[in-house]
Amino acid sequence: QVSLVESGGGSVQAGGSLRLSCVVSGYSFSTLCIGWFRQAPGKERERVAAICYGGSSTYYGDSVKGRFTISQDNAKSTVLLQMNSLKPEDTAIYYCAAQTLSSATYNYWGQGTQVTVSS
């Protein structure tokens, strides 16, 4: 069983930065993909970044490439999402999710953290 707890959301002005964290327990990073997703009202859920198998693979959505960086702190069992040059369109609830090797989908989800970017 994987447990994920997000934190770090908040309100910033456009151009500002936030760092989201996701504390992961229950599985080793070596057997997981950890993804960050976001959901804004009226929009489809979007995967913005992911890191898999101890950092051997990373993914970034086109909308955040060059602005967001995903990383992991193995000692703290935490996946980080550094969000720079934030735009109002980045406003959403951000969720951390995990995909285990036995699943074809992201099968564990955190509670979400609100990110609001004002113009």
Side-chain angles (χ1 to χ4, degrees), residues 33-50:
C33 287
I34 304 296
W36 283 99
F37 295 76
R38 65 187 182 188
Q39 180 77 62
K43 298 182 180 179
E44 295 183 350
R45 187 182 66 193
E46 177 187 15
R47 184 172 62 156
V48 300

Side-chain angles (χ1 to χ4, degrees), residues 26-80:
Y27 277 79
S28 170
F29 284 146
S30 66
T31 61
L32 291 175
C33 287
I34 304 296
W36 283 99
F37 295 76
R38 65 187 182 188
Q39 180 77 62
K43 298 182 180 179
E44 295 183 350
R45 187 182 66 193
E46 177 187 15
R47 184 172 62 156
V48 300
I51 186 166
C52 296
Y53 313 126
S56 63
S57 178
T58 58
Y59 162 86
Y60 295 98
D62 289 342
S63 63
V64 306
K65 286 180 179 177
R67 300 189 297 120
F68 291 9
T69 302
I70 191 167
S71 62
Q72 65 183 56
D73 184 336
N74 196 53
K76 297 180 179 180
S77 298
T78 300
V79 172
L80 305 173

Side-chain angles (χ1 to χ4, degrees), residues 84-106:
N84 297 328
S85 301
L86 284 163
K87 305 174 181 179
E89 52 263 44
D90 295 319
T91 296
I93 300 175
Y94 284 70
Y95 297 90
C96 180
Q99 180 183 14
T100 61
L101 288 172
S102 63
S103 178
T105 63
Y106 284 85

Side-chain angles (χ1 to χ4, degrees), residues 7-26:
S7 63
S11 298
V12 297
Q13 291 186 310
S17 298
L18 287 171
R19 178 176 288 191
L20 306 183
S21 65
C22 175
V23 179
V24 181
S25 61

